[in-house]
Amino acid sequence: MSNVSALQDDAKSRPKTAAGRLSRLWSKNRSETNAAGYIFISPWLIGFLLLTVWPIAQSFYLSFTEYSLLNDPVWVGPQNYANIFLNDQLFRTSLGVTFAFVLVAVPLKLFFSLMVAMLLNKNLKAMHLYRTAIYFPSLIGGSIAVSVLWRNMFSLDGYVNHVLGWFGIQGVGWISNPNTSLGTLILLSTWQFGSTMVIFLAGLKQIPSELYDSSSVDGAGKTRQFFHITLPMLSPVMFFNLVLGVIGAFQMFTSAFIITKGGPVNSTYMYALFLFEKAFKHYQMGYASALAWILLLIIAVLTGINFLVSRYWVFYESEGGKAK
Amino acid sequence: MKRYLHWGKGISLGLAAVLSLTACSGGSQGASGKPEEGKGGDGSANLKMMWWGPDSRHKATLAALDLYTKQNPKIKFTPEYLAWDGYWSKLTTLAASKSMTDVLQMDGAYIQDYASRGTLEDLSDVDLKGIVDPKIIENSKINGKLYGIPLGHNGQGMAFNKTELEAAGVKLPAKNWTWDDFIAFAKEGRSKLPKGKYPIGDGSNVWDNYQYYQTAKGKGPIMVDGKKFNLDKDLWYEYQNLFAQFRKDGTVPPPDVTKAFVDNDPKGDSMASGTVMTKGVTVASVAVMEQLMPGKVGLTTMPVGPAGGGWAQSTLFLSVSSTSKYKKEAKEFIRWFITDKEAGKTLGTSRGIPINNEIYKELEPTLQPTDLISRKLLDTVIEKALPFYPAPTGWSEWVQTYQTEMEAVWFGKKSLDDAYKTIETMGKQIEAKLGGGK
Amino acid sequence: MTASRLKSSKLANHLLLTAISLLMLYPVIWWLGASLKKTEEMALPTIWPAVPMWENYSKGWHFSPEFSFAHFFGNTLMMECWNVIGAVLTSAVVAYGFARLQFKLRGFWFSILLLTLMLPGQVTVIPQYIMYNHFGWVDSYLPLILPHFFGGGAFFVFLLVQFIRGIPRELDEAAKIDGASVYGIFTRIIFPLLKPSLVTVAIFTFIWSWDDFFGQVLYLSSVEKYTVGLALRMFVDQFEIQWGQLLAMSLLSIVPSVIVFFLAQKHFVEGITTTGLKG
């Protein structure tokens, strides 16, 4: 009796159809990969839960308070958000400045990084020297020296005006003029394209050379190869640089902070600088936190759009064609 | 299976790394002498102290701290010294986490913010008789309480490029020159100086330059008692129109040249670069001008009006945190800092001209030209000095808006009337917010 | 292509690259010259000083009353070492999980990962400090190093995810058929293939954490723990700035990053030229 029922139980548990068997196999793997998945992302997950969640939650809470940092936070509800949207001219100004920066700096950087990366991908002698030389500006980062350097380059009697003089063009005080100062910061960001370029380079190195070889055999020229091999194979990396370029550009702070301090006439008053000054200079951390969360929302929406649109142009080799 | 061994190795490596890190930092924490919680019953203490300054000040202060510990073996120090830049962000962060150091250096521009929010201890009970001039103590009080012990003298005056003015045949500014003298000087300078050089600079975008004008003419400071907004419309227009005219006829540098100046930078400083002949300086900052242009610097007061001009006050203090566990020890230490003769010798002029006149007298024979010029400026300005009026708590955004508005006028993006409207409206708004009883 | 045509196109490339390199490096050349100038000379438009003041370098090196710059370099390099190890190991692991494995809520957690990149750091600084203060980790390197062991940062995880998605799944399948589990696939297939991108992670971790002024200012209080970045700031005070020494030391402080980059880029050259699909 028990044997039969045991056999019957066995029969029940063993699915009859192929689909059934497959799905059972799948579900067994499912729980295994569930565990494996979590094990693999556990370093990040643990760090997130231990070290990151609380500060982030705190900052969200603080956005509903008035917090001078020197006193304890005082709950004020959505007042900060209301003031930001209804009363704050500076909010709109800095948002405008930041959008302008993103719209120009990101494409510029992507373009130059890609072009130079392709140049550096060739097999020429002394390539490592060139690469290091070209990457150098990105190493200077946010040091004080950069502000000295940049101000000297763009001052009325600086290097840039000197060079312009060769072409007979009269230069202006680029940094101290509200019409051009944002341009100097955009230039600085573009000059430091090294990191983006290095990532493109790594991506280029991962494209199998046989693709190029076999297409040359088929008679394809350089341009055709660029558009039909390089760009598609590079698209995941391009996507990465685009998404992160946008995220980074919106949070650009250092150059505005050390070179122009947001001036003149707020022409370089980047959003992150505005936020920082609200918190540390005007002792309004609550307001600044609200500003931060609004920025997060804006960036998240734009990134989401980026992801949605990516399915039309990003090609993942491993997923055999169009990405999800 | 091999893979799990891999994994096991990886995880244990990671754990080992983290553990050793903790041990390392824990060990070095011990070495740096972190203060124990709670006082030792025997009166021993470890005072945490924080200051900013140039390298020479750090060296001098560390030596002074060692001296104190030698004289008082029960008191040890955990010093922390930074550059000016990071100091204020860090102090704010420490205040937010209620972990400010026991003793901290304070600046006249910031002390109101910290005192008004209760982060500083009242030091009125520290006995300064015979050490600090009572007038200075009174001037340093906020709402009747003393929140910082003044360390050195400071004052505001004007420096001028003696050499180049003489070469151009322009009459040099005299001590206690009036605003009318100032305007005459500017006109003469414009006509006699070569192109590209200007007799005066354009400070009309900074609120306190106008405040000097308003107070000199006897109309009082712009923010009264921290709450009332007192901007004299007629006087303001008079001042701004004066500088608008200066901009038009080239008496002051054009806006983009002015904005390109970098204070105290050898190339970018308005005066050190030879572009502008005069500059506002303080007792604390004039030494740098002497360093950049040795022998060329002449001194005078800010232009004075009927009520006086410039200011002479202490702006560098030592304060005690209201959350300190060693308030008594901290106060004793600070008093010693400005009283003890040995300390005075060790500290020298690292914090400016010592507030204690006796200590200053001892140092006098050994002073450098850069120190002497500071003293000279102090002696020059003290006669007609008015009180020092920093921006009170809650006005920082008004100060910033003032600058933005005026610069918009400079670059032709706004009319003077529009700028005035914005400045006045915001001022009244803040007045309402603050006066409305917080 | 004939030999001479090849040569001239190579020459053209060299010329172009040299021109670009000079453009990028010119400001640095100015910097080197300025670091050797006297303070008064800084105002002049010349590149090279009349008399190079090499003592700017030696004075700068020994500026602090207690430690020479060697000590600060040592501190920073130690921190960097740990940062790089942590970032390289854990970012690869986490990225593999997100890129190759299906698990419940994967999309949710990935979005959270990206969201952490989008919140400006300035507003989490204070709560973070309060938290670390509570743990007792202030005045130590822990708050600076530990985050790298928890995935190395969302930036690198996302970067590696993109790279992994570029690796063909056929390789995974092949390994699976050979009996490998997901762990095996990671260690034997994916991790080795990620070499160029891991070098990238290492380089960037090194360079970016070197520069993290705010974090270092907050969490390192005792001067003996100072990094090069903090020590450099000591040259800049409220009023006086020792320009020569500042520029000299700033230039020196970049040297390790340059060396790291120079050496590490060899691994780019050995990139993937075949994916092993032929078999």
Side-chain angles (χ1 to χ4, degrees):
Chain A
M1 186 62 144
S2 50
N3 272 357
V4 173
S5 53
L7 274 171
Q8 271 177 336
D9 286 327
D10 247 355
K12 258 190 231 137
S13 57
R14 214 177 292 135
K16 300 243 168 43
T17 64
R21 248 180 273 134
L22 254 172
S23 71
R24 190 165 171 255
L25 206 70
W26 190 59
S27 68
K28 178 169 174 234
N29 277 348
R30 238 315 172 93
S31 64
E32 186 189 274
T33 53
N34 257 347
Y38 275 97
I39 290 183
F40 272 98
I41 70 164
S42 62
W44 172 77
L45 199 53
I46 295 176
F48 175 73
L49 294 173
L50 277 183
L51 300 176
T52 320
V53 152
W54 190 81
I56 292 185
Q58 261 294 87
S59 81
F60 187 64
Y61 156 68
L62 287 175
S63 72
F64 293 99
T65 66
E66 222 173 70
Y67 184 34
S68 73
L69 292 175
L70 306 183
N71 296 124
D72 288 329
V74 172
W75 182 267
V76 291
Q79 183 186 300
N80 289 334
Y81 289 97
N83 279 334
I84 291 175
F85 284 113
L86 298 177
N87 295 334
D88 200 342
Q89 177 59 37
L90 217 41
F91 166 69
R92 288 170 227 147
T93 309
S94 67
L95 208 54
V97 168
T98 313
F99 262 97
F101 181 80
V102 172
L103 283 171
V104 179
V106 173
L108 266 183
K109 197 185 256 205
L110 287 177
F111 177 73
F112 279 112
S113 315
L114 183 55
M115 290 299 117
V116 177
M118 291 188 47
L119 254 183
L120 291 178
N121 194 24
K122 300 187 195 284
N123 275 324
L124 292 175
K125 272 206 273 260
M127 193 49 88
H128 48 289
L129 284 173
Y130 288 127
R131 279 203 212 110
T132 312
I134 294 180
Y135 192 71
F136 214 101
S138 311
L139 293 172
I140 307 178
S143 66
I144 294 193
V146 164
S147 86
V148 175
L149 199 64
W150 221 242
R151 268 211 225 97
N152 268 291
M153 294 260 294
F154 285 97
S155 63
L156 215 43
D157 53 354
Y159 175 58
V160 169
N161 283 341
H162 200 61
V163 168
L164 284 179
W166 294 346
F167 297 100
I169 307 178
Q170 168 79 346
V172 293
W174 303 99
I175 296 191
S176 50
N177 192 312
N179 299 325
T180 54
S181 51
L182 189 61
T184 63
L185 293 188
I186 293 179
L187 263 172
L188 180 63
S189 144
T190 311
W191 185 58
Q192 295 184 316
F193 65 68
S195 314
T196 317
M197 178 210 74
V198 161
I199 293 178
F200 272 131
L201 200 54
L204 283 172
K205 288 292 177 192
Q206 267 187 282
I207 302 178
S209 62
E210 2 170 283
L211 287 178
Y212 290 109
D213 295 339
S214 53
S215 72
S216 313
V217 165
D218 286 348
K222 284 252 153 75
T223 327
R224 228 186 125 80
Q225 282 182 335
F226 177 75
F227 282 103
H228 287 261
I229 301 179
T230 315
L231 275 190
M233 291 301 282
L234 216 46
S235 58
V237 170
M238 171 71 86
F239 177 63
F240 172 80
N241 275 333
L242 176 65
V243 167
L244 275 135
V246 167
I247 295 179
F250 267 106
Q251 296 182 49
M252 176 60 73
F253 167 78
T254 324
S255 56
F257 182 61
I258 57 179
I259 301 181
T260 59
K261 287 264 183 304
V265 200
N266 291 336
S267 55
T268 58
Y269 206 43
M270 304 286 296
Y271 195 90
L273 180 60
F274 173 46
L275 195 158
F276 176 82
E277 289 198 339
K278 271 286 175 184
F280 287 91
K281 190 167 157 187
H282 303 303
Y283 301 104
Q284 293 175 42
M285 181 53 104
Y287 197 88
S289 304
L291 285 173
W293 281 86
I294 292 177
L295 185 68
L296 185 147
L297 207 63
I298 294 176
I299 299 180
V301 165
L302 287 174
T303 306
I305 296 178
N306 253 333
F307 269 89
L308 281 176
V309 173
S310 76
R311 74 177 71 194
Y312 295 109
W313 63 278
V314 184
F315 162 79
Y316 291 106
E317 169 86 38
S318 63
E319 279 138 43
K322 295 301 180 183
K324 58 164 135 43
Chain B
M1 277 179 275
K2 268 220 198 111
R3 304 154 205 112
Y4 291 112
L5 260 178
H6 259 293
W7 260 119
K9 265 199 228 148
I11 297 180
S12 40
L13 231 162
L15 271 175
V18 177
L19 285 173
S20 59
L21 267 177
T22 329
C24 270
S25 48
S28 49
Q29 270 189 352
S32 74
K34 278 264 167 245
E36 280 73 48
E37 291 303 338
K39 293 194 225 189
D42 55 354
S44 63
N46 191 315
L47 292 177
K48 278 201 267 186
M49 181 169 169
M50 191 168 152
W51 69 87
W52 76 84
D55 181 52
S56 48
R57 184 183 293 173
H58 301 326
K59 282 202 186 73
T61 315
L62 289 174
L65 295 184
D66 282 338
L67 189 63
Y68 191 73
T69 306
K70 244 197 286 202
Q71 293 182 2
N72 304 276
K74 291 206 185 123
I75 311 286
K76 297 210 176 27
F77 289 95
T78 305
E80 205 180 312
Y81 48 98
L82 325 177
W84 167 266
D85 255 352
Y87 187 86
W88 299 104
S89 316
K90 179 141 196 195
L91 190 60
T92 316
T93 312
L94 290 181
S97 67
K98 310 251 190 286
S99 56
M100 286 197 336
T101 53
D102 302 295
V103 180
L104 51 142
Q105 197 169 286
M106 244 308 147
D107 181 272
Y110 290 86
I111 192 167
Q112 286 223 14
D113 289 328
Y114 280 83
S116 67
R117 294 191 175 98
T119 56
L120 299 179
E121 183 70 10
D122 180 10
L123 303 175
S124 311
D125 60 352
V126 176
D127 180 15
L128 298 169
K129 271 202 283 288
I131 305 169
V132 183
D133 189 329
K135 211 165 27 134
I136 295 181
I137 299 180
E138 270 313 301
N139 278 338
S140 304
K141 282 200 182 153
I142 301 173
N143 294 334
K145 296 210 183 92
L146 191 64
Y147 288 103
I149 306 287
L151 298 176
H153 294 285
N154 202 357
Q156 169 91 22
M158 256 183 144
F160 55 86
N161 192 330
K162 218 177 7 186
T163 324
E164 294 215 29
L165 284 174
E166 279 170 349
V170 181
K171 178 157 156 254
L172 298 181
K175 181 174 153 177
N176 294 336
W177 59 334
T178 64
W179 275 99
D180 290 330
D181 295 332
F182 177 77
I183 297 175
F185 167 78
K187 292 209 168 93
E188 189 190 355
R190 196 196 103 237
S191 60
K192 292 196 178 154
L193 285 168
K195 193 162 188 285
K197 289 190 188 282
Y198 307 86
I200 56 176
D202 191 349
S204 58
N205 61 335
V206 180
W207 75 287
D208 49 3
N209 283 329
Y210 167 67
Q211 184 170 255
Y212 292 137
Y213 189 72
Q214 184 170 297
T215 49
K217 300 262 173 178
K219 297 280 181 176
I222 300 181
M223 298 89 158
V224 182
D225 295 327
K227 296 196 174 104
K228 197 157 167 337
F229 185 62
N230 169 38
L231 187 71
D232 188 305
K233 182 171 180 180
D234 295 325
L235 223 48
W236 189 84
Y237 267 96
E238 190 179 290
Y239 180 84
Q240 290 296 350
N241 284 327
L242 179 66
F243 276 92
Q245 182 57 39
F246 282 154
R247 279 193 291 281
K248 237 199 285 199
D249 60 28
T251 314
V252 297
D256 58 351
V257 172
T258 305
K259 277 310 282 183
F261 287 137
V262 181
D263 240 9
N264 301 321
D265 178 310
K267 185 170 180 200
D269 184 82
S270 56
M271 199 164 115
S273 62
T275 315
V276 184
M277 296 295 116
T278 55
K279 185 182 177 197
V281 288
T282 62
V283 170
S285 71
V286 69
V288 182
M289 294 316 299
E290 178 66 27
Q291 189 191 33
L292 293 174
M293 326 165 47
K296 291 191 185 175
V297 179
L299 298 175
T300 182
T301 54
M302 290 286 281
V304 302
W311 49 265
Q313 193 141 319
S314 217
T315 56
L316 195 60
F317 307 94
L318 276 183
S319 299
V320 176
S321 150
S322 57
T323 58
S324 166
K325 292 195 182 67
Y326 304 110
K327 294 187 188 151
K328 179 161 140 293
E329 289 81 353
K331 290 185 198 173
E332 277 170 18
F333 166 69
I334 297 180
R335 190 177 178 280
W336 173 91
F337 201 76
I338 57 174
T339 324
D340 187 279
K341 292 274 166 67
E342 275 293 319
K345 267 213 211 76
T346 315
L347 292 167
T349 51
S350 61
R351 285 183 170 80
I353 299 171
I355 197 114
N356 186 331
N357 278 321
E358 297 201 12
I359 291 187
Y360 177 71
K361 278 210 212 45
E362 303 239 339
L363 292 174
E364 222 168 348
T366 58
L367 290 180
Q368 302 289 320
T370 43
D371 301 319
L372 289 170
I373 202 175
S374 302
R375 178 81 216 192
K376 192 155 153 248
L377 184 64
L378 179 68
D379 293 331
T380 312
V381 304
I382 201 155
E383 185 189 325
K384 294 251 178 191
L386 293 165
F388 176 55
Y389 297 111
T393 307
W395 290 87
S396 56
E397 291 185 279
W398 182 86
V399 165
Q400 196 163 340
T401 307
Y402 185 100
Q403 181 168 346
T404 318
E405 293 297 302
M406 287 320 301
E407 286 174 8
V409 172
W410 280 12
F411 286 101
K413 293 192 189 279
K414 254 198 180 185
S415 74
L416 197 61
D417 292 324
D418 283 340
Y420 177 74
K421 225 182 336 156
T422 311
I423 293 173
E424 200 216 4
T425 314
M426 192 172 183
K428 289 227 150 59
Q429 274 174 353
I430 298 184
E431 178 186 59
K433 195 165 101 157
L434 294 178
K438 229 197 162 176
Chain C
M1 258 198 213
T2 62
S4 60
R5 246 206 109 191
L6 204 63
K7 252 204 210 131
S8 64
S9 85
K10 270 208 170 155
L11 188 63
N13 278 329
H14 271 288
L15 280 175
L16 187 57
L17 280 172
T18 314
I20 297 182
S21 303
L22 279 178
L23 194 65
M24 302 298 264
L25 280 184
Y26 175 82
V28 181
I29 299 174
W30 175 90
W31 189 346
L32 180 62
S35 70
L36 295 168
K37 282 187 184 172
K38 281 207 289 265
T39 307
E40 302 94 70
E41 258 185 306
M42 289 273 306
L44 305 175
T46 55
I47 299 247
W48 205 254
V51 179
M53 291 190 52
W54 296 103
E55 47 288 11
N56 278 343
Y57 282 87
S58 52
K59 266 210 266 174
W61 191 261
H62 292 285
F63 89 101
S64 155
E66 305 168 284
F67 312 97
S68 80
F69 249 90
H71 181 90
F72 301 125
F73 268 102
N75 282 344
T76 321
L77 284 173
M78 185 239 14
M79 174 187 80
E80 293 291 355
C81 203
W82 286 114
N83 286 350
V84 169
I85 293 176
V88 166
L89 285 180
T90 56
S91 59
V93 165
V94 176
Y96 178 70
F98 275 118
R100 278 294 204 253
L101 300 179
Q102 289 277 46
F103 53 92
K104 259 206 265 245
L105 296 180
R106 182 179 79 163
F108 170 70
W109 288 119
F110 193 67
S111 319
I112 299 277
L113 178 82
L114 286 185
L115 280 173
T116 59
L117 277 175
M118 303 180 205
L119 190 65
Q122 287 89 349
V123 294
T124 46
V125 161
I126 301 282
Q128 241 174 11
Y129 186 86
I130 296 180
M131 181 181 77
Y132 283 124
N133 195 25
H134 194 65
F135 292 162
W137 293 355
V138 172
D139 197 27
S140 78
Y141 277 94
L142 277 181
L144 300 175
I145 298 183
L146 225 41
H148 294 277
F149 277 90
F150 289 118
F155 181 90
F156 296 122
V157 172
F158 186 25
L159 177 69
L160 292 182
V161 162
Q162 292 304 93
F163 275 110
I164 294 178
R165 281 168 124 186
I167 298 176
R169 284 212 186 239
E170 289 86 7
L171 294 175
D172 292 33
E173 305 296 323
K176 215 186 252 174
I177 294 176
D178 285 348
S181 69
V182 287
Y183 303 97
I185 297 178
F186 174 69
T187 47
R188 295 206 300 209
I189 309 286
I190 304 288
F191 194 80
L193 284 180
L194 278 180
K195 208 157 65 144
S197 10
L198 286 178
V199 170
T200 316
V201 170
I203 294 177
F204 287 161
T205 304
F206 187 93
I207 291 168
W208 290 348
S209 50
W210 188 277
D211 248 355
D212 169 29
F213 176 67
F214 221 74
Q216 292 164 9
V217 150
L218 282 186
Y219 295 112
L220 301 174
S221 322
S222 3
V223 182
E224 73 169 330
K225 296 211 183 80
Y226 272 14
T227 57
V228 171
L230 286 184
L232 278 179
R233 295 278 168 152
M234 308 280 271
F235 285 123
V236 181
D237 185 53
Q238 194 176 359
F239 300 122
E240 58 171 286
I241 304 181
Q242 287 134 317
W243 289 104
Q245 294 177 28
L246 169 66
L247 292 177
M249 290 300 111
S250 307
L251 200 54
L252 277 189
S253 77
I254 296 203
V255 167
S257 306
V258 175
I259 294 179
V260 162
F261 182 81
F262 194 76
L263 294 175
Q265 61 170 308
K266 267 192 280 179
H267 297 276
F268 284 173
V269 180
E270 297 162 26
I272 316 293
T273 51
T274 164
T275 58
L277 271 179
K278 290 206 193 111

